Amino acid sequence: MELRTLTPLEARVLGVLVEKQHTVPDTYPLSLNALQSGCNQKTARAPVMEASEADLLVAVDSLKHLHLIFEVSGSRVARYEHNLGRVLGVPSQSVALLAVLMLRGPQTSAELRLNSERLHRFADISSVEGFLDELSTKQPARVVKLARAPGEREARWAHLLCGEPVQPSAASGGVGADGGGVAAGEVAALRGEVSRLSEELASLRADLAAVKAELGLN
């Protein structure tokens, strides 16, 4: 379907709803308080945001009009769930990849496989690339493969829900293989592997804080 360009905060809201649906299913759909905590989370987010409750309400209202999220009734507190897969007409694997791109920014296929593990466990990198290729050939395209930055062996992917992303510039590259250094993409992948458990722990702590806030246990 035709979908207008989303704001960064609207994309962040969608990404958080997809993420928390898998990581904290017991508290999903999310309250506005939990949604705000997820949007402003300091770990596993790029860029880090400081969205106010008023900002969130505007974004939520806009996404409801686009049918991208629904407000769930039958609770004392308003709760929200995403409808991303149905609106875009894509499978859950693609929803997981889009969510990670919306939460963390452009990433290589290897990074996406690693970072989406809690949302969907892909068998291998080629499986990730298969879903990315499908998303890139949809009309309209939902992701794009960025030009490989100087010094990087792997190109990064970016989502297109917020419009065209900034392409890597010649000044942003590191030392390539010909220069005897380690490619920036390899460094990022290694760093992501090393920090995965600590990030997951921080994310779980943030989820726990949101649950405690809902229960008034702060």
Side-chain angles (χ1 to χ4, degrees), residues 114-135:
L114 175 69
N115 292 331
S116 64
E117 187 174 358
R118 298 175 70 197
L119 310 186
H120 180 84
R121 184 163 293 179
F122 291 92
D124 47 38
I125 294 176
S126 63
S127 177
V128 173
E129 291 175 338
F131 285 101
L132 290 170
D133 288 337
E134 184 178 317
L135 284 168

Side-chain angles (χ1 to χ4, degrees), residues 49-136:
M49 291 184 172
E50 287 292 344
S52 68
E53 183 174 312
D55 295 332
L56 261 294
L57 286 171
V58 171
V60 163
D61 190 56
S62 296
L63 290 170
K64 285 166 60 179
H65 280 90
L66 294 172
H67 307 294
L68 284 167
I69 68 173
F70 291 126
E71 183 174 337
V72 181
S73 58
S75 173
R76 290 183 298 109
V77 178
R79 293 180 176 273
Y80 306 96
E81 63 180 342
H82 76 87
N83 191 36
L84 186 61
R86 184 172 298 177
V87 170
L88 298 187
V90 298
S92 59
Q93 296 93 325
S94 297
V95 171
L97 293 172
L98 285 170
V100 174
L101 288 171
M102 288 187 283
L103 292 174
R104 294 173 177 250
Q107 296 155 77
T108 65
S109 300
E111 290 168 339
L112 281 168
R113 184 191 178 209
L114 175 69
N115 292 331
S116 64
E117 187 174 358
R118 298 175 70 197
L119 310 186
H120 180 84
R121 184 163 293 179
F122 291 92
D124 47 38
I125 294 176
S126 63
S127 177
V128 173
E129 291 175 338
F131 285 101
L132 290 170
D133 288 337
E134 184 178 317
L135 284 168
S136 69

